[in-house]
């Protein structure tokens, strides 16, 4: 996909995730909206994956360490054909596979995740296995910024640098909000980029809602031989829905009927604008 097609796809995914959250009456809306451009860039442009063969031995791996923001991931996997798209509307219903965190009974999900602080350690093991087995796959791990307060993140960071895992990419969805407020008020993180660099990682800071910047960062891996890469993706929580952007309340707010209609109208207008831009070439 070119950049315009990626931007269009991200808008469509945002519309889908809002619909399934509204229908289920549960979900983590703000974080799923903020991470959509990251996931869209990875799944539609960067990662080596095959929905018809989800266990391909040399596939790239994605670990959603911030597993509570799973709705965007479910919508992307359905759109790509890992499972039927109509199954999306069973999200968080009784007996569904599509629960509120990644579930590895679903094709395309590598590990059950969501207990914050665990995903990077899992990813370090996978990246090390790739090196030792000579398979050459890359491992991408998406973390929340509130998650950076977990000590296990930094143990994994040390291990990733120690084993020189230049096939490992950590991504921080740096939207600066967590369930209880601003990350800097709950547990100050800055200068977060310098902390990661001091642990031996190659750090790239990008606009995490700019698909071109994200693709450039991801496609450059390995950006520094013998070093894992940390992409500091500065995002807007609630991105794409004007009245949800940077509003802490939307961390797990379920849109009302009226809010859903307003949000879909905004996103439909954005999609039409992108389509017109694409036609102009």
């Amino acid at each position: 996909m070119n950049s315009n097609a990626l931007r269009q796809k991200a808008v469509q995914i945002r519309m889908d995730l809002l619909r399934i959250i509204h229908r289920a009456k549960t979900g983590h809306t703000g974080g799923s909206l903020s991470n959509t451009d990251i996931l869209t860039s990875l799944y539609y442009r960067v990662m080596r994956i095959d929905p018809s063969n989800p266990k391909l031995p040399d596939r790239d791996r994605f670990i959603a360490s911030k597993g509570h923001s799973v709705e965007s991931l479910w919508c992307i996997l359905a759109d790509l054909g890992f499972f039927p798209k109509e199954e999306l509307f069973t999200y968080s219903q009784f007996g569904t596979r599509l629960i509120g965190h990644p579930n590895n009974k679903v094709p395309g999900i590598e590990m059950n995740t969501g207990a914050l602080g665990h995903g990077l350690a899992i990813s370090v093991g996978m990246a090390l296995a790739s090196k030792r087995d000579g398979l050459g796959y890359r491992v991408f791990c998406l973390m929340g910024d509130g998650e950076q307060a977990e000590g296990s993140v930094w143990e994994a960071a040390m291990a990733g640098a120690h084993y020189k895992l230049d096939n490992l990419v950590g991504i921080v969805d740096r939207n600066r909000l967590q369930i209880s407020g601003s990350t800097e008020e709950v547990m100050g993180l800055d200068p977060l980029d310098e902390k990661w660099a001091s642990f031996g990682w190659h750090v790239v800071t990008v606009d995490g809602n700019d698909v071109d910047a994200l693709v450039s960062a991801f496609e450059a891996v390995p950006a520094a031989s013998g070093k894992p890469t940390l992409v500091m993706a500065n995002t807007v929580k609630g991105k794409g829905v004007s009245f949800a952007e940077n509003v802490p309340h939307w961390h797990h707010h379920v849109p009302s009927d009226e809010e859903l209609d307003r949000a879909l109208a905004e996103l439909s207008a954005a999609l039409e604008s992108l389509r017109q831009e694409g036609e102009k070439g």
Side-chain angles (χ1 to χ4, degrees):
M1 282 190 178
N2 63 28
S3 59
N4 181 274
L6 286 172
R7 291 195 296 270
Q8 288 190 47
K9 183 59 69 175
V11 173
Q12 292 166 347
I13 296 302
R14 287 186 168 96
M15 296 172 78
D16 286 343
L17 74 86
L18 286 168
R19 290 185 180 107
I20 68 169
I21 289 173
H22 175 262
R23 182 183 178 96
K25 304 303 180 191
T26 187
H28 286 80
T29 312
S32 285
L33 290 168
S34 75
N35 73 30
T36 296
D37 299 298
I38 297 168
L39 297 186
T40 300
S41 301
L42 286 172
Y43 274 90
Y44 294 93
R45 178 72 174 267
V46 175
M47 291 199 306
R48 182 173 60 247
I49 53 173
D50 182 357
S52 69
N53 185 10
K55 294 296 186 182
L56 189 73
D58 64 347
R59 69 192 180 280
D60 288 332
R61 271 69 163 171
F62 174 76
I63 299 295
S65 191
K66 55 169 292 183
H68 56 280
S69 296
V70 72
E71 294 85 3
S72 47
L73 179 57
W74 288 145
C75 291
I76 286 171
L77 293 178
D79 185 65
L80 287 169
F82 281 92
F83 59 85
K85 195 162 186 179
E86 54 267 24
E87 190 175 348
L88 279 177
F89 290 96
T90 71
Y91 167 66
S92 280
Q93 304 301 305
F94 179 74
T96 185
R97 299 187 297 176
L98 307 184
I99 57 177
H101 289 79
N103 167 22
N104 66 3
K105 291 182 171 57
V106 180
I109 299 295
E110 302 291 344
M111 291 291 296
N112 297 341
T113 55
L116 296 178
H118 293 183
L120 189 63
I122 294 166
S123 300
V124 166
M126 288 180 168
L128 184 58
S130 174
K131 291 275 191 183
R132 292 187 172 179
D133 292 343
L135 290 174
Y137 59 79
R138 299 166 297 176
V139 183
F140 298 87
C141 177
L142 177 62
M143 298 172 281
D145 49 3
E147 183 178 359
Q148 304 302 292
E150 299 279 356
S152 51
V153 169
W154 300 100
E155 294 177 59
M158 284 191 290
H162 174 78
Y163 288 107
K164 304 183 187 305
L165 299 178
D166 53 13
N167 60 335
L168 173 62
V169 182
I171 309 156
V172 177
D173 184 358
R174 187 70 169 117
N175 59 41
R176 295 183 173 270
L177 290 173
Q178 58 190 99
I179 190 170
S180 49
S182 160
T183 56
E184 299 314 294
E185 293 173 350
V186 175
M187 181 63 70
L189 299 173
D190 284 332
L192 189 54
D193 54 349
E194 294 177 19
K195 289 173 181 173
W196 277 95
S198 74
F199 272 69
W201 288 56
H202 175 73
V203 179
V204 181
T205 300
V206 300
D207 179 343
N209 296 125
D210 179 340
V211 294
D212 290 328
L214 288 162
V215 167
S216 293
F218 295 143
E219 288 189 337
V221 174
S225 180
K227 280 189 172 187
T229 294
L230 190 284
V231 176
M232 192 70 62
N234 291 314
T235 62
V236 174
K237 197 153 191 171
K239 179 68 175 178
V241 178
S242 64
F243 52 90
E245 291 185 354
N246 289 318
V247 179
H249 169 65
W250 277 80
H251 178 85
H252 52 40
H253 175 68
V254 174
S256 66
D257 293 351
E258 185 268 338
E259 287 170 334
L260 178 67
D261 289 343
R262 286 175 60 197
L264 293 179
E266 284 189 10
L267 291 164
S268 293
L271 184 59
E272 181 57 30
S273 177
L274 286 168
R275 283 173 176 160
Q276 292 177 10
E277 179 186 318
E279 289 170 1
K280 291 176 183 176

